[in-house]
Amino acid sequence: MATRFGRSMMKSGTKVVAFVVICLLVLLGVSTPLTVKNRDMDSADLSKMQAEDSIDVLFVGPSRIYTNINTGILWDEWGIASYDLAGGSQPLWSTYYYLKDALEHQHPSVVLLDVYFATLADEYVNHGAIVNNTFGGLGIINKIENKVVSSPEADLADYLAEFPIYHSRYSDLSREDFLPYRGIKDRTAWKGYDVYAQCQPLEQDPDVSGVSATAPIASKTLEYLEKIIELTHEEGVPLVLFCAPFDISAEQQQIYNSVAKIAAANGIPFLNFNLSFDELGVSYVGEETDFLDEEHLNYRGATKLTNWLGSWLKEHYDIPDRRDDVAYSSWQVDADNIRAQIQDIELTKVSDMSEWLQEVTREPRLTLVLIVKGDTTGKSEGAAADILQPYGIDLAEMKDGAIFVMRDGAVVYEASGESASWSGEVWNDAIVASTSKIQFGSATYQAPDDSTTALLYDDLTGRLVQVVSWAFAETGSGQVVRAG
Amino acid sequence: MLFNSFEFLLFFPIVVCVYFVIPRRIRYVWLLIASYCFYMSWSVKYALLLLFSTVITWLSGLSLDSINRTGRIFGCGGGVLADASLKQKVTKRKAVVAVSLLINLGILAFFKYFDFILNNINVTLSVFSIEPFEKPFDLLLPVGISFYTFQALSYTIDVYRGDVDAESNLFKYALFVSFFPQLVAGPIERSKNLLVQVEHVSRSDLWDLDRITRGVILMIWGYFMKMVVADRAAILVNVVYGDHLIYGSCELILATVLFGVQIICDFAGYSTIAIGAAKVMGFELMENFNTPYLATSVQDFWRRWHISLSTWFRDYLYFPLGGSRCSKAKHYRNIMIVFLVSGLWHGAAWTFVVWGFLHGAYQVVGDILRRPKNALWARLGVRTEAFSWILGKVMVTFMLVNIAWIFFRATSLQQGLDICWSMLASWDPWTLFDGSIFRLGLSEMEMGILVASIVVLALIDGVRFVKGQNIADFLMEQNLWFRWVVCIGLIVAVYVFGIYGPSFTPSQFIYFQF
């Protein structure tokens, strides 16, 4: 009877355990597309995927790190294996835990901390920033401690469990949520830098050179700044504090003056680039400024800052050149990707069709889909026809439109007539062209009448570069075509 | 702590695990400690009030029992002496009940109606331009006071009536009053059901996977009703009722109907979780809802809605007033008294009184018209047993109940009347088709989820109506794989579509305000 009872208990227990396990697996499967995914999560998650002790220079801090520090330039120019470990609006307490976690697997030659948020006086940052800076892939203990410090007590349970935050994302789900790293090509090789092209002009550059007073740093922020200093000291990793240039106010400079004192007291270099606009050559003034907005540099400004920092780092620290080391191939992939993105941005500024085509056809990584819409019979002379002739495209015969696909300067596909069409698979997407429109993924671009419309796709970065159109008679000025 | 909170999701498994592990004879002590911890998570000082009410009614039971026994010693045989002793006994017993009622209802009235009474006095005084009284203090209504007071009083009355013996063990009695699954929002249990079970669980081997599974299924279903249906419907209801003057007939009707959905799912959801949690621990609580929106009359509605409250009023107010065993006029008077008191029980506001009045009036008018109606249907040859006729009755009852819900939900009489008027006067059916309904707080997707979840609810209620089985009993008859698919499906639905987390304002159960 006892054996029968024991067997019965075992059977019951097995059923319960099996149900719980299956239920948890289903919930895990359901959670995967729902979890928060953005570049901030990628930064933390991918930092853990770097090989042990592979990062030579580690940049930490808020979003200014991933807009301002071009890891590709550091690699291309000096072979420096760097990583931008950052989060949007990341307060210093989260930076501390990010750094602590990173130093469990990395022993960089130097750590650079952007102290922008030394000015933070609040106990807690906003909800979105808490999520972005505590949900990333830290080790379990560091993750929990980060959440405890970052979350108001009333909300701590939600942030610890995470699913109360992201379960309602079902209404925002897109295809990207079901693809690894949101379908971004070569994301596993990414070292944290994102290319930003926008420009924010101001009437003048800030000048805080005359600000010598100090202002107190808020207690919680100060506590974690000191903990970061202590941590790097304990780990035997040199620390550099810096503040990238931005539209700084006198009050903020007073805080950084306090930071300078702390740095000096601890024998730590502090590079305040807000006092070095001229030296860096960055400016808010003009049409093509170096700034993305009031706080961040764009890719132009990032190039200048990174070049300065790269030289300075090589001069002051013993950082190996890893360019010949095959174990560091991912840094090469990252650098190639960044370079391509910047070149693509420069390409989009070329308005003249002839010049544009010359630039595009020089790059083997670019796929060009051209659609000619309108009756071009007899138009063998004229701007568009002349420009396309050297590529073996004769517009004179194209009465009802045509489609051309070009790769590496050569036409690889052509079709004419009303019913002409083409489709091609690209990274995680498809391009479908007819003589009146081009579809890229779920976006549709309508070709204007009597025009040549071009869709440019970068096979290396896996991104759409631009869709631009030139009227037959006006090839000097391309018009960007928006998805509609 | 709310049932739909992390704290409860931690609290309950811990309580249950310890409950099954400790010796049987001290299970009730553990549950008593857990119940008071549960209540004190709201307020420690109001737990003292709960304790006070418990002690008073326990002592009243002991006093009644003592009086009974005293009479038995001396009351043997007949004669003048025996009659006088009996009269004395009856007087003393009545006095004990009166004291218990006075104290407990006095506490309830003080906390619940002090502000209401003061406000109404001040309104009256202002009519005569007399300076109003100032409010001397702020009173917070202790959570669940209406429920546990009624539950405790039912024990006093049951002992008085001889329906149950007095409980000599204070701790067992205290557990009856404070049993955490049903403490703050019912079902309002009777001592002859719950107190007896306290004794039973102290002696029995409670490990029964079948019973525990049924309990867990009920809890999952309760969470689905509350978090997926009720709290989602509440979003639209709050938007429309929060700014009722800008909305027309269709939006107001939609919001009122959805309030009907909200309140049943909120309240029945809570009750279902309570019943499920109790079942896990070996307690069988009374059913509190039985497909009320399938009622064929308002009278039938009250046999299906908040059954524990309606039977309490029936047994302790309606029957003592005479019930229906009196003249028609007194019968109708009794109905109106019960429903006016029920309205006031639900809240200290005139809107609740109107709500109660309407339900009472529906039944009185329904009774007055019953014979002429039946005669008319017979004359017209209406087939009153046909499905179409019954469906019509269900729909009319649903409409009458929803009209009353307007006042239950409205924040003032004026708002209730405005809404009634707007429903008739601002008729614009195009709002149902031009996308306006997706701008009332619920997007198209959210509305779709709400509709789908109501369909699921209707299916389960349909099974209940046809087979008389709740979801747990129904699923336990099915094959394992089906049971698991349904349970996991419901869990996933709550996990993904539940209204919880920082995106949503955490919503308490509606009946907590009572």
Side-chain angles (χ1 to χ4, degrees):
Chain A
M1 200 148 92
T3 314
R4 222 181 306 146
F5 175 73
R7 275 205 293 269
S8 163
M9 281 297 284
M10 261 209 38
K11 199 174 163 190
S12 302
T14 309
K15 273 191 204 170
V16 170
V17 169
F19 176 80
V20 170
V21 167
I22 293 171
C23 194
L24 287 174
L25 286 173
V26 169
L27 289 175
L28 186 66
V30 163
S31 295
T32 304
L34 292 172
T35 53
V36 177
K37 298 170 200 68
N38 55 35
R39 51 101 38 241
D40 291 346
M41 302 299 149
D42 291 350
S43 177
D45 293 348
L46 290 169
S47 74
K48 294 191 82 67
M49 283 177 59
Q50 306 305 310
E52 184 115 0
D53 278 339
S54 59
I55 298 173
D56 291 323
V57 177
L58 182 63
F59 292 89
V60 291
S63 53
R64 286 148 52 86
I65 294 290
Y66 62 69
T67 61
N68 297 354
I69 307 298
N70 186 330
T71 52
I73 288 175
L74 291 174
W75 176 261
D76 282 339
E77 298 298 320
W78 298 281
I80 294 176
S82 64
Y83 195 92
D84 290 347
L85 179 60
S89 300
Q90 186 177 94
L92 282 173
W93 45 88
S94 286
T95 304
Y96 168 75
Y97 285 104
Y98 269 50
L99 180 60
K100 185 166 179 251
D101 201 70
L103 294 180
E104 286 173 8
H105 305 284
Q106 302 292 334
H107 196 85
S109 302
V110 60
V111 170
L112 289 98
L113 164 67
D114 187 328
V115 292
Y116 175 80
F117 268 112
T119 56
L120 181 67
D122 299 327
E123 262 317 277
Y124 305 104
V125 290
N126 64 56
H127 166 69
I130 293 176
V131 170
N132 287 342
N133 292 294
T134 62
F135 279 31
L138 303 190
I140 188 77
I141 304 291
N142 288 327
K143 196 168 186 178
I144 290 173
E145 288 181 2
N146 186 18
K147 286 175 197 266
V148 169
V149 162
S150 301
S151 318
E153 204 181 314
D155 302 326
L156 179 57
D158 288 336
Y159 289 117
L160 280 173
E162 293 189 7
F163 67 84
I165 309 288
Y166 64 66
H167 81 96
S168 54
R169 282 196 67 244
Y170 56 82
S171 55
D172 298 325
L173 284 179
S174 65
R175 188 164 167 255
E176 284 181 358
D177 288 295
F178 296 88
L179 300 172
Y181 298 108
R182 292 166 287 131
I184 300 173
K185 197 175 178 210
D186 293 326
R187 195 59 163 180
T188 50
W190 182 66
K191 304 303 174 194
Y193 172 67
D194 278 342
V195 179
Y196 288 88
Q198 296 95 316
C199 281
Q200 162 81 59
L202 292 175
E203 278 192 17
Q204 63 185 36
D205 292 324
D207 179 8
V208 291
S209 52
V211 177
S212 56
T214 58
I217 300 172
S219 58
K220 189 175 178 183
T221 296
L222 179 61
E223 179 191 349
Y224 280 89
L225 176 61
E226 287 171 347
K227 279 173 110 114
I228 289 171
I229 293 170
E230 194 184 323
L231 172 67
T232 51
H233 180 72
E234 277 169 7
E235 295 290 329
V237 173
L239 175 67
V240 174
L241 303 181
F242 78 102
C243 190
F246 70 103
D247 185 23
I248 188 173
S249 68
E251 290 74 26
Q252 286 168 312
Q253 179 58 34
Q254 289 175 2
I255 298 280
Y256 298 132
N257 288 339
S258 296
V259 172
K261 284 194 168 170
I262 293 170
N266 286 276
I268 294 169
F270 176 42
L271 309 171
N272 188 354
F273 292 99
N274 292 288
L275 305 172
S276 320
F277 267 63
D278 290 339
E279 188 181 339
L280 268 185
V282 295
S283 177
Y284 269 104
V285 179
E287 259 190 45
E288 289 203 331
T289 76
D290 299 302
F291 290 88
L292 167 65
D293 57 28
E294 289 89 357
E295 295 172 359
H296 304 84
L297 295 166
N298 58 25
Y299 76 97
R300 267 191 303 278
T303 300
K304 294 173 185 175
L305 176 65
T306 309
N307 275 317
W308 194 100
L309 275 173
S311 299
W312 186 85
L313 283 168
K314 278 302 264 192
E315 189 186 325
H316 290 82
Y317 297 93
D318 182 20
I319 305 171
D321 183 340
R322 304 285 191 185
R323 280 174 287 191
D324 292 330
D325 190 338
V326 295
Y328 283 81
S329 58
S330 63
W331 268 268
Q332 186 63 57
V333 171
D334 176 56
D336 291 342
N337 202 301
I338 292 170
R339 205 180 319 110
Q341 286 184 59
I342 292 175
Q343 284 168 357
D344 291 344
I345 290 170
E346 295 297 331
L347 245 173
T348 61
K349 294 177 192 164
V350 176
S351 194
D352 179 78
M353 184 177 168
S354 172
E355 195 182 328
W356 188 87
L357 268 173
Q358 280 173 33
E359 295 288 336
V360 165
T361 50
R362 260 203 281 269
E363 296 290 342
R365 68 175 195 282
L366 297 172
T367 294
L368 174 61
V369 179
L370 272 173
I371 62 176
V372 177
K373 184 178 176 188
D375 186 359
T376 58
T377 318
K379 287 194 175 70
S380 56
E381 288 178 13
D386 288 345
I387 291 166
L388 291 170
Q389 247 294 319
Y391 302 98
I393 296 171
D394 187 354
L395 285 189
E397 302 302 315
M398 312 295 161
K399 185 180 175 185
D400 295 314
I403 299 170
F404 301 93
V405 180
M406 295 176 71
R407 285 203 176 101
D408 211 359
V411 175
V412 297
Y413 176 89
E414 68 177 271
S416 61
E418 256 184 43
S419 58
S421 70
W422 176 85
S423 68
E425 296 285 327
V426 292
W427 175 261
N428 280 330
D429 262 310
I431 301 173
V432 178
S434 68
T435 51
S436 62
K437 64 184 177 190
I438 306 178
Q439 247 172 285
F440 178 77
S442 57
T444 302
Y445 301 87
Q446 297 286 349
D449 292 334
D450 296 326
S451 70
T452 312
T453 301
L455 178 143
L456 186 63
Y457 180 83
D458 190 328
D459 292 307
L460 187 144
T461 64
R463 296 169 194 240
L464 176 69
V465 178
Q466 72 175 147
V467 181
V468 61
S469 184
W470 293 269
F472 287 147
E474 286 194 33
T475 57
S477 171
Q479 303 300 316
V480 170
V481 180
R482 307 245 175 254
Chain B
M1 70 187 85
L2 298 173
F3 278 173
N4 57 330
S5 68
F6 274 124
E7 289 83 0
F8 185 77
L9 291 180
L10 282 174
F11 169 85
F12 184 68
I14 292 171
V15 168
V16 167
C17 287
V18 173
Y19 178 74
F20 280 115
V21 161
I22 57 177
R24 298 173 193 180
R25 65 181 187 286
I26 60 168
R27 276 179 185 152
Y28 75 94
V29 177
W30 169 245
L31 282 185
L32 179 63
I33 294 168
S35 297
Y36 267 79
C37 287
F38 180 83
Y39 195 72
M40 285 193 290
S41 69
W42 272 286
S43 164
V44 175
K45 57 179 184 263
Y46 288 140
L48 294 173
L49 203 61
L50 170 66
L51 181 63
F52 180 73
S53 184
T54 302
V55 169
I56 291 294
T57 47
W58 177 68
L59 287 174
S60 72
L62 289 181
S63 300
L64 289 167
D65 191 50
S66 161
I67 294 166
N68 273 349
R69 273 192 261 116
T70 307
R72 275 200 288 279
I73 291 168
F74 295 107
C76 306
V80 173
L81 203 61
D83 281 345
S85 169
L86 194 64
K87 271 190 187 153
Q88 229 181 12
K89 207 167 76 166
V90 167
T91 308
K92 278 184 183 172
R93 292 174 79 241
K94 281 184 178 174
V96 167
V97 172
V99 165
S100 178
L101 281 172
L102 210 65
I103 293 174
N104 285 283
L105 290 177
I107 293 170
L108 177 64
F110 175 72
F111 279 97
K112 199 158 178 173
Y113 303 107
F114 180 83
D115 284 349
F116 177 62
I117 294 167
L118 184 65
N119 287 340
N120 281 284
I121 290 173
N122 283 339
V123 164
T124 310
L125 290 176
S126 68
V127 168
F128 297 103
S129 305
I130 300 171
E131 202 176 311
F133 291 108
E134 267 193 39
K135 209 162 89 157
F137 37 68
D138 279 322
L139 279 175
L140 201 63
L141 184 66
V143 174
I145 189 171
S146 304
F147 290 90
Y148 72 69
T149 300
F150 271 35
Q151 186 153 311
L153 284 176
S154 77
Y155 167 77
T156 301
I157 299 170
D158 286 347
V159 172
Y160 172 78
R161 288 177 177 173
D163 290 340
V164 290
D165 295 329
E167 174 57 60
S168 56
N169 185 319
L170 172 61
F171 298 115
K172 285 183 180 171
Y173 177 70
L175 176 59
F176 158 71
V177 178
S178 66
F179 186 46
F180 75 86
Q182 44 86 237
L183 170 61
V184 295
I188 302 171
E189 277 295 336
R190 307 296 181 89
S191 50
K192 55 189 162 212
N193 181 42
L194 186 55
L195 201 46
V196 163
Q197 293 185 67
V198 171
E199 189 59 45
H200 170 72
V201 300
S202 302
R203 296 187 187 164
S204 314
D205 174 16
L206 293 177
W207 181 259
D208 175 356
L209 187 62
D210 183 279
R211 190 202 73 238
I212 293 169
T213 304
R214 286 168 201 265
V216 171
I217 291 172
L218 286 174
M219 291 181 77
I220 295 170
W221 178 239
Y223 281 115
F224 177 85
M225 290 174 78
K226 162 65 179 169
M227 295 172 71
V228 178
V229 188
D231 288 350
R232 182 167 269 99
I235 293 171
L236 187 148
V237 172
N238 291 342
V239 164
V240 175
Y241 270 73
D243 209 355
H244 66 282
L245 290 171
I246 68 172
Y247 294 108
S249 174
C250 291
E251 292 102 322
L252 290 167
I253 291 173
L254 178 64
T256 303
V257 168
L258 283 180
F259 178 69
V261 171
Q262 177 195 347
I263 195 168
I264 176 83
C265 289
D266 192 290
F267 197 13
Y270 182 95
S271 288
T272 307
I273 296 170
I275 292 167
K279 193 183 274 284
V280 167
M281 293 184 285
F283 291 87
E284 296 297 328
L285 298 183
M286 68 181 292
E287 179 186 59
N288 217 9
F289 293 87
N290 179 10
T291 61
Y293 289 146
L294 295 178
T296 53
S297 67
V298 173
Q299 192 179 31
D300 186 27
F301 175 82
W302 281 100
R303 283 194 285 266
R304 297 166 177 273
W305 177 275
H306 202 173
I307 297 167
S308 64
L309 180 72
S310 57
T311 52
W312 196 99
F313 276 123
R314 180 197 64 196
D315 294 342
Y316 302 115
L317 183 61
Y318 182 68
F319 283 160
L321 285 172
S324 60
R325 294 182 185 179
C326 49
S327 66
K328 273 291 177 194
K330 280 193 175 166
H331 177 208
Y332 296 153
R333 178 206 67 180
N334 296 341
I335 290 174
M336 291 311 297
I337 288 173
V338 166
F339 280 93
L340 284 170
V341 170
S342 174
L344 267 177
W345 180 92
H346 281 82
W350 289 113
T351 50
F352 294 106
V353 176
V354 168
W355 171 79
F357 173 83
L358 282 173
H359 274 275
Y362 288 154
Q363 292 178 77
V364 168
V365 169
D367 194 68
I368 290 170
L369 294 178
R370 188 157 21 98
R371 276 217 186 122
K373 259 190 336 189
N374 289 342
L376 179 63
W377 307 145
R379 205 180 166 96
L380 293 175
V382 171
R383 291 184 194 160
T384 56
E385 72 289 352
F387 169 77
S388 54
W389 187 251
I390 294 170
L391 179 65
K393 286 172 74 171
V394 167
M395 289 170 67
V396 167
T397 305
F398 185 71
M399 186 192 71
L400 291 173
V401 166
N402 273 286
I403 290 169
W405 281 142
I406 294 171
F407 292 91
F408 193 95
R409 177 57 180 82
T411 51
S412 68
L413 273 182
Q414 187 60 54
Q415 186 190 41
L417 292 168
D418 286 343
I419 288 172
C420 289
W421 175 247
S422 296
M423 279 182 178
L424 294 168
S426 309
W427 183 242
D428 180 11
W430 298 118
T431 52
L432 291 174
F433 306 105
D434 66 1
S436 298
I437 56 169
F438 303 125
R439 291 190 287 274
L440 301 175
L442 290 179
S443 66
E444 214 170 315
M445 176 184 269
E446 291 293 338
M447 195 68 97
I449 293 166
L450 179 62
V451 168
S453 58
I454 290 172
V455 167
V456 171
L457 188 69
L459 280 171
I460 300 299
D461 268 2
V463 166
R464 179 63 194 268
F465 191 72
V466 168
K467 298 189 79 177
Q469 285 179 319
N470 64 34
I471 184 175
D473 295 336
F474 171 71
L475 285 179
M476 291 307 284
E477 278 183 359
Q478 311 307 314
N479 288 315
L480 184 74
W481 68 267
F482 181 79
R483 191 155 64 244
W484 282 17
V485 163
V486 171
C487 287
I488 292 175
L490 288 173
I491 291 171
V492 169
V494 172
Y495 179 80
V496 177
F497 301 119
I499 304 294
Y500 65 96
S503 306
F504 307 103
T505 311
S507 88
Q508 282 208 356
F509 292 89
I510 291 179
Y511 267 69
F512 272 32
Q513 62 186 304
F514 311 127

